[in-house]
Amino acid sequence: MKKVVKFGGSSLANAEQFRKVGNIVLAEEDRRYVIPSAPGRRFPGDTKVTDMLYSCYHLAESGQDFSAALQNIRDRYEEIIQGLGLDLDMEPEFETIEASFRARVGEDYAASRGEYLNGIVMAAFLGYTFVDAAEVIAFDEDGAFDDKKTDKQLSRRLEDIPKAVIPGFYGAMPDGSIKTFSRGGSDITGSLVAKAVHADLYENWTDVSGFLMADPRIIKDPVTIPTITYREMRELSYMGATVLHEDAVFPLRKEGIPINVRNTNCPDDPGTMVVESTCNKPRFCITGIGGKKGFASVTIEKAMMNTEVGFGRKVLQVFEDVGMTFEHTPSGIDTFTVLVNQHEFEPHEQQVIAGLHRSVRPDLIELESDLALIAVVGRGMRRTRGTAGRIFSALAHAHVNVKMIDQGSSELNIIIGVENRDFETAIKAIYDIFVIAQL
Ligand code: ASP
């Protein structure tokens, strides 16, 4: 067995957390490749090292004194190194960083140093080989991620190294300059390493025991999802349940490598397995509930629109012309509704109305704002009769007015539109009927 293990910032925030990580890694021979993030928050209100690096670099870039800011970063690492009792002198590294900041080498370089330094500390702590991500993770000259080159470089480099630490979040462009992924991107590095070494499992260690069936800010102590498919996870993540970086999923999904999301602070919890497909029957008929507030709907009414060839295309073209995506398009015989992100829509509102008048000559255009979308997701729904019925009777009992319904063609999800103010009540009602009532 070969496992790739990635640890998030909160798992590496101080020496105490590092020790937990060390115990986890060394508990299994199979945990051969380790991807660390930069040290994260130690307590609520604390600053992540990545953010400290960004602000320190901005001072340097604008010609201000950044020595105190850099010292604070140095202190974060010193606390870890001393706390672990390591004999490691990071001074030469900090001298290089300081000189590079003065030379204004770029924000990405600055941000990447959090992972880079943590990688050095982690390798020394575990006794593993340090492999700089700049040598193995490749971006092209335009800054786009180069998957083929990365895969080749990674597999070649790691072929003869049985145990290595590869810092997350960054790589290099052909000219050697450092480029980072988007925030939270260490997850991506982990998945790329897992793919390149043909790992049997990618473990993603964080500070929660996996994916929860619902948002814990709405539902107290929601049940953890033991197994979720990639498709279900996509649906739930899109609807706000983010545990893994979106882009981390695709490389693994293609290879059929499962992900295990685990909690560094509760290492005995089994966490959530994310898999391509499974015979595992979910305990509940639904896998999870996700949701987002802040949508607006544009309803276009026109008698006999169903006979007009190209009506839908013309409507959507108006949104395309202002550079907007749409979420859903529920329709009736003489109505066509486009659901959009309210925040994105607001600046284009009048332009869209004028565009619709010009292109489809509607009888009426109606706008509604402050809507929320709730996604009830579950591979088990396909086999179960009456899921929709149960959802809607639960919502009726909770006095929630349903504004829109959309069942995905995969039968993997049912999307329900409600008013923003009914959002929490609706989620509670759905959770109660499918989970609490079955416990
Ligand atoms: N340290 C980076 C961030 O804070 C990347 C990561 O943690 O995955 O976004």
Side-chain angles (χ1 to χ4, degrees), residues 276-309:
E276 167 72 44
S277 183
T278 177
C279 291
N280 165 288
K281 270 230 178 85
R283 178 169 167 209
F284 306 101
C285 139
I286 62 166
T287 302
I289 310 163
K292 277 205 276 198
K293 286 184 180 177
F295 294 96
S297 69
V298 183
T299 299
I300 300 120
E301 213 178 295
K302 186 177 185 188
M304 306 296 284
M305 70 160 65
N306 60 320
T307 61
E308 239 181 82
V309 175

PDB file of all heavy atoms in Angstrom, residues 276-309:
ATOM      1  N   GLU A 276     -15.160   7.008  -6.335  1.00  0.00           N
ATOM      2  CA  GLU A 276     -15.773   7.143  -7.660  1.00  0.00           C
ATOM      3  C   GLU A 276     -17.182   6.557  -7.637  1.00  0.00           C
ATOM      4  O   GLU A 276     -18.142   7.159  -8.081  1.00  0.00           O
ATOM      5  CB  GLU A 276     -14.865   6.403  -8.660  1.00  0.00           C
ATOM      6  CG  GLU A 276     -15.447   6.156 -10.033  1.00  0.00           C
ATOM      7  CD  GLU A 276     -15.535   7.427 -10.850  1.00  0.00           C
ATOM      8  OE1 GLU A 276     -14.555   8.181 -10.821  1.00  0.00           O
ATOM      9  OE2 GLU A 276     -16.562   7.658 -11.491  1.00  0.00           O
ATOM     10  N   SER A 277     -17.290   5.358  -7.116  1.00  0.00           N
ATOM     11  CA  SER A 277     -18.567   4.678  -7.079  1.00  0.00           C
ATOM     12  C   SER A 277     -18.525   3.678  -5.932  1.00  0.00           C
ATOM     13  O   SER A 277     -17.442   3.265  -5.519  1.00  0.00           O
ATOM     14  CB  SER A 277     -18.747   3.948  -8.413  1.00  0.00           C
ATOM     15  OG  SER A 277     -19.994   3.350  -8.442  1.00  0.00           O
ATOM     16  N   THR A 278     -19.666   3.303  -5.445  1.00  0.00           N
ATOM     17  CA  THR A 278     -19.661   2.380  -4.303  1.00  0.00           C
ATOM     18  C   THR A 278     -20.954   1.573  -4.211  1.00  0.00           C
ATOM     19  O   THR A 278     -22.011   2.048  -4.602  1.00  0.00           O
ATOM     20  CB  THR A 278     -19.456   3.152  -2.975  1.00  0.00           C
ATOM     21  OG1 THR A 278     -19.530   2.238  -1.897  1.00  0.00           O
ATOM     22  CG2 THR A 278     -20.480   4.242  -2.766  1.00  0.00           C
ATOM     23  N   CYS A 279     -20.842   0.358  -3.687  1.00  0.00           N
ATOM     24  CA  CYS A 279     -22.035  -0.452  -3.425  1.00  0.00           C
ATOM     25  C   CYS A 279     -22.537  -0.144  -2.020  1.00  0.00           C
ATOM     26  O   CYS A 279     -23.613  -0.557  -1.634  1.00  0.00           O
ATOM     27  CB  CYS A 279     -21.695  -1.931  -3.456  1.00  0.00           C
ATOM     28  SG  CYS A 279     -21.291  -2.515  -5.071  1.00  0.00           S
ATOM     29  N   ASN A 280     -21.702   0.565  -1.262  1.00  0.00           N
ATOM     30  CA  ASN A 280     -22.047   0.901   0.113  1.00  0.00           C
ATOM     31  C   ASN A 280     -23.375   1.649   0.167  1.00  0.00           C
ATOM     32  O   ASN A 280     -23.530   2.699  -0.422  1.00  0.00           O
ATOM     33  CB  ASN A 280     -20.896   1.745   0.682  1.00  0.00           C
ATOM     34  CG  ASN A 280     -21.258   2.463   1.949  1.00  0.00           C
ATOM     35  OD1 ASN A 280     -22.020   3.429   1.936  1.00  0.00           O
ATOM     36  ND2 ASN A 280     -20.706   2.011   3.048  1.00  0.00           N
ATOM     37  N   LYS A 281     -24.335   1.033   0.857  1.00  0.00           N
ATOM     38  CA  LYS A 281     -25.661   1.652   0.958  1.00  0.00           C
ATOM     39  C   LYS A 281     -25.611   2.741   2.014  1.00  0.00           C
ATOM     40  O   LYS A 281     -25.212   2.487   3.145  1.00  0.00           O
ATOM     41  CB  LYS A 281     -26.679   0.598   1.392  1.00  0.00           C
ATOM     42  CG  LYS A 281     -27.351  -0.134   0.271  1.00  0.00           C
ATOM     43  CD  LYS A 281     -28.875  -0.117   0.501  1.00  0.00           C
ATOM     44  CE  LYS A 281     -29.615  -0.802  -0.609  1.00  0.00           C
ATOM     45  NZ  LYS A 281     -29.697  -2.250  -0.414  1.00  0.00           N
ATOM     46  N   PRO A 282     -25.994   3.964   1.644  1.00  0.00           N
ATOM     47  CA  PRO A 282     -25.959   5.008   2.673  1.00  0.00           C
ATOM     48  C   PRO A 282     -26.936   4.682   3.812  1.00  0.00           C
ATOM     49  O   PRO A 282     -27.954   4.036   3.591  1.00  0.00           O
ATOM     50  CB  PRO A 282     -26.385   6.267   1.927  1.00  0.00           C
ATOM     51  CG  PRO A 282     -26.719   5.873   0.542  1.00  0.00           C
ATOM     52  CD  PRO A 282     -26.470   4.421   0.359  1.00  0.00           C
ATOM     53  N   ARG A 283     -26.569   5.107   4.994  1.00  0.00           N
ATOM     54  CA  ARG A 283     -27.406   4.842   6.175  1.00  0.00           C
ATOM     55  C   ARG A 283     -28.756   5.553   6.038  1.00  0.00           C
ATOM     56  O   ARG A 283     -29.786   5.058   6.433  1.00  0.00           O
ATOM     57  CB  ARG A 283     -26.631   5.351   7.383  1.00  0.00           C
ATOM     58  CG  ARG A 283     -27.345   5.212   8.686  1.00  0.00           C
ATOM     59  CD  ARG A 283     -26.392   5.493   9.829  1.00  0.00           C
ATOM     60  NE  ARG A 283     -27.081   5.678  11.078  1.00  0.00           N
ATOM     61  CZ  ARG A 283     -26.626   6.444  12.054  1.00  0.00           C
ATOM     62  NH1 ARG A 283     -25.493   7.098  11.912  1.00  0.00           N
ATOM     63  NH2 ARG A 283     -27.299   6.546  13.176  1.00  0.00           N
ATOM     64  N   PHE A 284     -28.679   6.762   5.479  1.00  0.00           N
ATOM     65  CA  PHE A 284     -29.920   7.523   5.296  1.00  0.00           C
ATOM     66  C   PHE A 284     -30.200   7.597   3.804  1.00  0.00           C
ATOM     67  O   PHE A 284     -29.292   7.413   2.992  1.00  0.00           O
ATOM     68  CB  PHE A 284     -29.750   8.930   5.868  1.00  0.00           C
ATOM     69  CG  PHE A 284     -29.300   8.928   7.294  1.00  0.00           C
ATOM     70  CD1 PHE A 284     -27.974   9.173   7.621  1.00  0.00           C
ATOM     71  CD2 PHE A 284     -30.194   8.639   8.317  1.00  0.00           C
ATOM     72  CE1 PHE A 284     -27.540   9.138   8.932  1.00  0.00           C
ATOM     73  CE2 PHE A 284     -29.763   8.608   9.640  1.00  0.00           C
ATOM     74  CZ  PHE A 284     -28.434   8.853   9.951  1.00  0.00           C
ATOM     75  N   CYS A 285     -31.428   7.913   3.460  1.00  0.00           N
ATOM     76  CA  CYS A 285     -31.754   7.957   2.029  1.00  0.00           C
ATOM     77  C   CYS A 285     -31.054   9.123   1.326  1.00  0.00           C
ATOM     78  O   CYS A 285     -30.774   9.062   0.136  1.00  0.00           O
ATOM     79  CB  CYS A 285     -33.262   7.969   1.912  1.00  0.00           C
ATOM     80  SG  CYS A 285     -33.958   9.022   0.733  1.00  0.00           S
ATOM     81  N   ILE A 286     -30.712  10.152   2.083  1.00  0.00           N
ATOM     82  CA  ILE A 286     -29.947  11.242   1.466  1.00  0.00           C
ATOM     83  C   ILE A 286     -28.510  11.234   2.009  1.00  0.00           C
ATOM     84  O   ILE A 286     -28.265  10.743   3.111  1.00  0.00           O
ATOM     85  CB  ILE A 286     -30.587  12.625   1.730  1.00  0.00           C
ATOM     86  CG1 ILE A 286     -30.630  12.933   3.224  1.00  0.00           C
ATOM     87  CG2 ILE A 286     -31.971  12.705   1.121  1.00  0.00           C
ATOM     88  CD1 ILE A 286     -30.930  14.383   3.529  1.00  0.00           C
ATOM     89  N   THR A 287     -27.587  11.772   1.207  1.00  0.00           N
ATOM     90  CA  THR A 287     -26.188  11.813   1.652  1.00  0.00           C
ATOM     91  C   THR A 287     -25.902  13.119   2.393  1.00  0.00           C
ATOM     92  O   THR A 287     -25.170  13.139   3.379  1.00  0.00           O
ATOM     93  CB  THR A 287     -25.244  11.675   0.439  1.00  0.00           C
ATOM     94  OG1 THR A 287     -25.550  10.443  -0.208  1.00  0.00           O
ATOM     95  CG2 THR A 287     -23.787  11.687   0.854  1.00  0.00           C
ATOM     96  N   GLY A 288     -26.466  14.200   1.907  1.00  0.00           N
ATOM     97  CA  GLY A 288     -26.211  15.466   2.574  1.00  0.00           C
ATOM     98  C   GLY A 288     -27.115  16.580   2.056  1.00  0.00           C
ATOM     99  O   GLY A 288     -27.808  16.415   1.042  1.00  0.00           O
ATOM    100  N   ILE A 289     -27.080  17.702   2.779  1.00  0.00           N
ATOM    101  CA  ILE A 289     -27.873  18.867   2.383  1.00  0.00           C
ATOM    102  C   ILE A 289     -26.925  20.061   2.286  1.00  0.00           C
ATOM    103  O   ILE A 289     -26.181  20.337   3.230  1.00  0.00           O
ATOM    104  CB  ILE A 289     -28.955  19.205   3.439  1.00  0.00           C
ATOM    105  CG1 ILE A 289     -29.766  17.951   3.807  1.00  0.00           C
ATOM    106  CG2 ILE A 289     -29.887  20.321   2.945  1.00  0.00           C
ATOM    107  CD1 ILE A 289     -30.554  18.111   5.097  1.00  0.00           C
ATOM    108  N   GLY A 290     -26.958  20.727   1.151  1.00  0.00           N
ATOM    109  CA  GLY A 290     -26.131  21.928   1.005  1.00  0.00           C
ATOM    110  C   GLY A 290     -27.031  23.097   0.646  1.00  0.00           C
ATOM    111  O   GLY A 290     -28.216  22.905   0.351  1.00  0.00           O
ATOM    112  N   GLY A 291     -26.493  24.282   0.663  1.00  0.00           N
ATOM    113  CA  GLY A 291     -27.339  25.402   0.261  1.00  0.00           C
ATOM    114  C   GLY A 291     -26.589  26.713   0.240  1.00  0.00           C
ATOM    115  O   GLY A 291     -25.526  26.846   0.856  1.00  0.00           O
ATOM    116  N   LYS A 292     -27.147  27.637  -0.510  1.00  0.00           N
ATOM    117  CA  LYS A 292     -26.530  28.972  -0.597  1.00  0.00           C
ATOM    118  C   LYS A 292     -27.626  30.021  -0.671  1.00  0.00           C
ATOM    119  O   LYS A 292     -28.659  29.800  -1.307  1.00  0.00           O
ATOM    120  CB  LYS A 292     -25.689  29.079  -1.879  1.00  0.00           C
ATOM    121  CG  LYS A 292     -24.304  28.519  -1.760  1.00  0.00           C
ATOM    122  CD  LYS A 292     -23.345  29.151  -2.766  1.00  0.00           C
ATOM    123  CE  LYS A 292     -23.403  28.494  -4.126  1.00  0.00           C
ATOM    124  NZ  LYS A 292     -22.264  28.762  -4.985  1.00  0.00           N
ATOM    125  N   LYS A 293     -27.341  31.154  -0.072  1.00  0.00           N
ATOM    126  CA  LYS A 293     -28.273  32.282  -0.175  1.00  0.00           C
ATOM    127  C   LYS A 293     -27.812  33.210  -1.274  1.00  0.00           C
ATOM    128  O   LYS A 293     -26.702  33.066  -1.781  1.00  0.00           O
ATOM    129  CB  LYS A 293     -28.274  33.053   1.137  1.00  0.00           C
ATOM    130  CG  LYS A 293     -28.984  32.370   2.269  1.00  0.00           C
ATOM    131  CD  LYS A 293     -28.984  33.302   3.467  1.00  0.00           C
ATOM    132  CE  LYS A 293     -29.692  32.660   4.646  1.00  0.00           C
ATOM    133  NZ  LYS A 293     -29.644  33.505   5.833  1.00  0.00           N
ATOM    134  N   GLY A 294     -28.638  34.193  -1.590  1.00  0.00           N
ATOM    135  CA  GLY A 294     -28.183  35.259  -2.471  1.00  0.00           C
ATOM    136  C   GLY A 294     -28.399  35.039  -3.943  1.00  0.00           C
ATOM    137  O   GLY A 294     -27.521  35.316  -4.756  1.00  0.00           O
ATOM    138  N   PHE A 295     -29.572  34.554  -4.312  1.00  0.00           N
ATOM    139  CA  PHE A 295     -29.883  34.414  -5.732  1.00  0.00           C
ATOM    140  C   PHE A 295     -31.022  35.341  -6.118  1.00  0.00           C
ATOM    141  O   PHE A 295     -31.809  35.766  -5.273  1.00  0.00           O
ATOM    142  CB  PHE A 295     -30.262  32.962  -6.052  1.00  0.00           C
ATOM    143  CG  PHE A 295     -29.121  32.010  -5.872  1.00  0.00           C
ATOM    144  CD1 PHE A 295     -28.974  31.298  -4.689  1.00  0.00           C
ATOM    145  CD2 PHE A 295     -28.161  31.855  -6.858  1.00  0.00           C
ATOM    146  CE1 PHE A 295     -27.905  30.441  -4.504  1.00  0.00           C
ATOM    147  CE2 PHE A 295     -27.086  30.994  -6.689  1.00  0.00           C
ATOM    148  CZ  PHE A 295     -26.959  30.288  -5.513  1.00  0.00           C
ATOM    149  N   ALA A 296     -31.088  35.649  -7.411  1.00  0.00           N
ATOM    150  CA  ALA A 296     -32.192  36.440  -7.927  1.00  0.00           C
ATOM    151  C   ALA A 296     -32.800  35.664  -9.087  1.00  0.00           C
ATOM    152  O   ALA A 296     -32.124  34.853  -9.721  1.00  0.00           O
ATOM    153  CB  ALA A 296     -31.685  37.787  -8.414  1.00  0.00           C
ATOM    154  N   SER A 297     -34.081  35.903  -9.348  1.00  0.00           N
ATOM    155  CA  SER A 297     -34.686  35.226 -10.498  1.00  0.00           C
ATOM    156  C   SER A 297     -35.243  36.261 -11.461  1.00  0.00           C
ATOM    157  O   SER A 297     -35.752  37.317 -11.055  1.00  0.00           O
ATOM    158  CB  SER A 297     -35.774  34.262 -10.044  1.00  0.00           C
ATOM    159  OG  SER A 297     -36.872  34.976  -9.553  1.00  0.00           O
ATOM    160  N   VAL A 298     -35.112  35.949 -12.736  1.00  0.00           N
ATOM    161  CA  VAL A 298     -35.648  36.808 -13.790  1.00  0.00           C
ATOM    162  C   VAL A 298     -36.664  35.956 -14.530  1.00  0.00           C
ATOM    163  O   VAL A 298     -36.300  34.954 -15.149  1.00  0.00           O
ATOM    164  CB  VAL A 298     -34.519  37.233 -14.764  1.00  0.00           C
ATOM    165  CG1 VAL A 298     -35.057  38.179 -15.827  1.00  0.00           C
ATOM    166  CG2 VAL A 298     -33.354  37.841 -14.004  1.00  0.00           C
ATOM    167  N   THR A 299     -37.937  36.324 -14.399  1.00  0.00           N
ATOM    168  CA  THR A 299     -38.963  35.526 -15.068  1.00  0.00           C
ATOM    169  C   THR A 299     -39.499  36.284 -16.279  1.00  0.00           C
ATOM    170  O   THR A 299     -39.873  37.457 -16.191  1.00  0.00           O
ATOM    171  CB  THR A 299     -40.115  35.191 -14.086  1.00  0.00           C
ATOM    172  OG1 THR A 299     -39.544  34.426 -13.031  1.00  0.00           O
ATOM    173  CG2 THR A 299     -41.214  34.397 -14.759  1.00  0.00           C
ATOM    174  N   ILE A 300     -39.491  35.608 -17.404  1.00  0.00           N
ATOM    175  CA  ILE A 300     -39.941  36.219 -18.656  1.00  0.00           C
ATOM    176  C   ILE A 300     -41.251  35.543 -19.036  1.00  0.00           C
ATOM    177  O   ILE A 300     -41.317  34.311 -19.122  1.00  0.00           O
ATOM    178  CB  ILE A 300     -38.888  35.991 -19.772  1.00  0.00           C
ATOM    179  CG1 ILE A 300     -37.561  36.616 -19.340  1.00  0.00           C
ATOM    180  CG2 ILE A 300     -39.335  36.567 -21.105  1.00  0.00           C
ATOM    181  CD1 ILE A 300     -36.461  35.641 -19.244  1.00  0.00           C
ATOM    182  N   GLU A 301     -42.265  36.361 -19.238  1.00  0.00           N
ATOM    183  CA  GLU A 301     -43.563  35.802 -19.606  1.00  0.00           C
ATOM    184  C   GLU A 301     -43.899  36.229 -21.017  1.00  0.00           C
ATOM    185  O   GLU A 301     -43.731  37.412 -21.373  1.00  0.00           O
ATOM    186  CB  GLU A 301     -44.605  36.351 -18.628  1.00  0.00           C
ATOM    187  CG  GLU A 301     -45.705  35.359 -18.364  1.00  0.00           C
ATOM    188  CD  GLU A 301     -46.695  35.904 -17.343  1.00  0.00           C
ATOM    189  OE1 GLU A 301     -46.301  36.104 -16.177  1.00  0.00           O
ATOM    190  OE2 GLU A 301     -47.839  36.160 -17.753  1.00  0.00           O
ATOM    191  N   LYS A 302     -44.315  35.287 -21.827  1.00  0.00           N
ATOM    192  CA  LYS A 302     -44.748  35.653 -23.179  1.00  0.00           C
ATOM    193  C   LYS A 302     -45.705  34.579 -23.693  1.00  0.00           C
ATOM    194  O   LYS A 302     -45.359  33.388 -23.698  1.00  0.00           O
ATOM    195  CB  LYS A 302     -43.537  35.759 -24.109  1.00  0.00           C
ATOM    196  CG  LYS A 302     -43.926  36.286 -25.482  1.00  0.00           C
ATOM    197  CD  LYS A 302     -42.748  36.461 -26.390  1.00  0.00           C
ATOM    198  CE  LYS A 302     -43.229  37.113 -27.680  1.00  0.00           C
ATOM    199  NZ  LYS A 302     -42.196  37.150 -28.694  1.00  0.00           N
ATOM    200  N   ALA A 303     -46.885  34.991 -24.117  1.00  0.00           N
ATOM    201  CA  ALA A 303     -47.863  34.027 -24.610  1.00  0.00           C
ATOM    202  C   ALA A 303     -47.286  33.293 -25.811  1.00  0.00           C
ATOM    203  O   ALA A 303     -46.643  33.900 -26.670  1.00  0.00           O
ATOM    204  CB  ALA A 303     -49.147  34.756 -25.004  1.00  0.00           C
ATOM    205  N   MET A 304     -47.466  32.001 -25.836  1.00  0.00           N
ATOM    206  CA  MET A 304     -47.045  31.141 -26.956  1.00  0.00           C
ATOM    207  C   MET A 304     -45.527  31.059 -27.128  1.00  0.00           C
ATOM    208  O   MET A 304     -45.045  30.731 -28.211  1.00  0.00           O
ATOM    209  CB  MET A 304     -47.658  31.612 -28.290  1.00  0.00           C
ATOM    210  CG  MET A 304     -49.154  31.750 -28.287  1.00  0.00           C
ATOM    211  SD  MET A 304     -49.970  30.158 -28.025  1.00  0.00           S
ATOM    212  CE  MET A 304     -49.746  29.444 -29.647  1.00  0.00           C
ATOM    213  N   MET A 305     -44.778  31.319 -26.062  1.00  0.00           N
ATOM    214  CA  MET A 305     -43.305  31.248 -26.215  1.00  0.00           C
ATOM    215  C   MET A 305     -42.852  29.856 -26.620  1.00  0.00           C
ATOM    216  O   MET A 305     -41.836  29.677 -27.253  1.00  0.00           O
ATOM    217  CB  MET A 305     -42.582  31.695 -24.936  1.00  0.00           C
ATOM    218  CG  MET A 305     -42.724  30.752 -23.779  1.00  0.00           C
ATOM    219  SD  MET A 305     -41.455  30.996 -22.531  1.00  0.00           S
ATOM    220  CE  MET A 305     -41.763  32.604 -21.911  1.00  0.00           C
ATOM    221  N   ASN A 306     -43.682  28.856 -26.255  1.00  0.00           N
ATOM    222  CA  ASN A 306     -43.277  27.486 -26.568  1.00  0.00           C
ATOM    223  C   ASN A 306     -43.227  27.200 -28.068  1.00  0.00           C
ATOM    224  O   ASN A 306     -42.617  26.243 -28.510  1.00  0.00           O
ATOM    225  CB  ASN A 306     -44.219  26.488 -25.878  1.00  0.00           C
ATOM    226  CG  ASN A 306     -45.653  26.656 -26.308  1.00  0.00           C
ATOM    227  OD1 ASN A 306     -46.111  27.790 -26.469  1.00  0.00           O
ATOM    228  ND2 ASN A 306     -46.366  25.574 -26.519  1.00  0.00           N
ATOM    229  N   THR A 307     -43.871  28.046 -28.868  1.00  0.00           N
ATOM    230  CA  THR A 307     -43.865  27.795 -30.314  1.00  0.00           C
ATOM    231  C   THR A 307     -42.729  28.556 -31.008  1.00  0.00           C
ATOM    232  O   THR A 307     -42.506  28.396 -32.196  1.00  0.00           O
ATOM    233  CB  THR A 307     -45.210  28.227 -30.952  1.00  0.00           C
ATOM    234  OG1 THR A 307     -45.351  29.636 -30.714  1.00  0.00           O
ATOM    235  CG2 THR A 307     -46.389  27.482 -30.379  1.00  0.00           C
ATOM    236  N   GLU A 308     -42.060  29.411 -30.253  1.00  0.00           N
ATOM    237  CA  GLU A 308     -41.008  30.235 -30.866  1.00  0.00           C
ATOM    238  C   GLU A 308     -39.669  29.504 -30.893  1.00  0.00           C
ATOM    239  O   GLU A 308     -39.106  29.210 -29.833  1.00  0.00           O
ATOM    240  CB  GLU A 308     -40.841  31.512 -30.033  1.00  0.00           C
ATOM    241  CG  GLU A 308     -41.092  32.766 -30.833  1.00  0.00           C
ATOM    242  CD  GLU A 308     -40.886  33.995 -29.955  1.00  0.00           C
ATOM    243  OE1 GLU A 308     -39.742  34.414 -29.785  1.00  0.00           O
ATOM    244  OE2 GLU A 308     -41.897  34.522 -29.430  1.00  0.00           O
ATOM    245  N   VAL A 309     -39.184  29.198 -32.067  1.00  0.00           N
ATOM    246  CA  VAL A 309     -37.906  28.480 -32.163  1.00  0.00           C
ATOM    247  C   VAL A 309     -36.769  29.384 -31.659  1.00  0.00           C
ATOM    248  O   VAL A 309     -36.677  30.549 -32.031  1.00  0.00           O
ATOM    249  CB  VAL A 309     -37.645  28.054 -33.631  1.00  0.00           C
ATOM    250  CG1 VAL A 309     -36.266  27.405 -33.770  1.00  0.00           C
ATOM    251  CG2 VAL A 309     -38.734  27.100 -34.098  1.00  0.00           C
TER     252      VAL A 309
END
